[in-house]
Each structure stands twice: as C-alpha cells, then as structure tokens.
Amino acid sequence: MLLTKLNKGALMQAQDLRAAINILKVIVNNKARQPILCNAHFNQGRLIATDLDSWVFVDMPGFALKDEINTTINAVQLEKALKGAKNDIILAQDGHDIKVVSEGFKVTLNGLPSEDYPQSPTLKITNSLTLDSEKFLAAITRLTYSTIKEDYSSL
C-alpha cells in the first residue's frame, strides 16, 4: 500500500482531488489581482480558494490524516500533476512543498507558507450540500453567461 512507503501523508483518490479542483476553478484564475489568489490552500481537511470577494471551501472526501497538510499550492500546477496519477494517491507535505505520490509516479510541487494565504472567514455550517463538480461548474458558467448577456443587452 502507498501509505506505508511514506511515514505520513493524506491518502485519497485522484478523482476526488480532481473533482475538488474543478470546483475551485470557479474562483481560481491565472490572471488574479494578486498572485497568491492563483493558489489553492489546504487546511484542516479542506481545499480552499478565494478571489477576496467569494470563497470556496471543498471538504476532501476520503482524506485520511487530513490534518497533516497545511500549505498553499498553485492550483494549475496541482491539476497538471494529477494527470499522471493513478487511482490512490498520497499527498505529503515537506516544508511548504507537497509531494504527490501514486503507483509509479511521484512529483513535488513548490508550496507557499499557509500564513501568506488570506485569512478565511469562520463559517458555522448547519446544513451542507453535496454537488457534482461538473454540474456545478456548468451551472455557474451558464449563470455567468446569462449575466454578461443581460448586462450588454441594455447598451
């Protein structure tokens, strides 16, 4: 098993992490106002992204040893790194960096200190909702298109 090859890390399915990144794409942008906003932040078993106006928190399903990871990683680089990953992956933190390990595959991504990422608001969640990442992204895209079309139609 992969977890026995590393002393510590978060064991999860590559497809679950890919789905989380797809949700974050709504917020994460390569042309952000501040470079730090091009990143995703791992903290307390969540993957977090913001554009400072909106926040997206994605609870990571199947995250074992999730408190082990607390760092900030470029979301695009993480997505590219996952293309070579198989089913089970381990995310292991090494300083600020993240190691992505899968069968026959290992890559290290440069990370940033978690203190550099904007402080997230504290949320009290009384109800939760699980959404399919592709359907959610499609709905946001349709809403954005509809809003843009509405704004320009009055000109």
Side-chain angles (χ1 to χ4, degrees):
M1 180 180 213
L2 284 173
L3 196 55
T4 58
K5 295 179 183 177
L6 295 173
N7 291 334
K8 59 183 179 177
L11 176 64
M12 63 185 316
Q13 293 288 311
Q15 65 198 31
D16 292 339
L17 188 53
R18 286 186 193 106
I21 292 170
N22 279 334
I23 293 170
L24 296 184
K25 284 182 182 179
V26 174
I27 296 288
V28 175
N29 185 338
N30 281 333
K31 297 179 176 127
R33 298 178 290 207
Q34 298 175 21
I36 192 71
L37 302 179
C38 297
N39 295 287
H41 181 65
F42 285 96
N43 191 7
Q44 298 177 346
R46 289 182 171 168
L47 198 52
I48 304 167
T50 185
D51 64 2
L52 296 181
D53 293 323
S54 303
W55 289 81
V56 175
F57 298 86
V58 181
D59 289 321
M60 300 304 299
F63 223 13
L65 303 174
K66 57 188 171 190
D67 294 330
E68 297 276 340
I69 298 180
N70 185 13
T71 192
T72 302
I73 295 292
N74 183 286
V76 173
Q77 290 178 358
L78 180 58
E79 181 179 33
K80 287 180 182 176
L82 288 174
K83 290 187 179 181
K86 304 286 186 217
N87 295 333
D88 286 341
I89 61 170
I90 292 178
L91 298 179
Q93 187 170 345
D94 183 15
H96 301 300
D97 299 341
I98 290 282
K99 292 182 181 181
V100 181
V101 181
S102 184
E103 292 296 327
F105 174 82
K106 181 178 178 183
V107 65
T108 301
L109 301 173
N110 295 329
L112 298 169
S114 59
E115 302 83 37
D116 289 354
Y117 202 75
Q119 184 69 30
S120 61
T122 304
L123 300 175
K124 290 184 179 179
I125 300 174
T126 55
N127 297 318
S128 65
L129 174 67
T130 302
L131 298 172
D132 177 81
S133 62
E134 291 177 14
K135 290 179 182 177
F136 180 68
L137 185 58
I140 295 295
T141 302
R142 285 193 306 273
L143 177 64
T144 304
Y145 174 78
S146 175
T147 305
I148 290 171
K149 187 175 177 184
E150 186 72 26
D151 285 346
Y152 286 113
S153 66
S154 61
L155 296 176

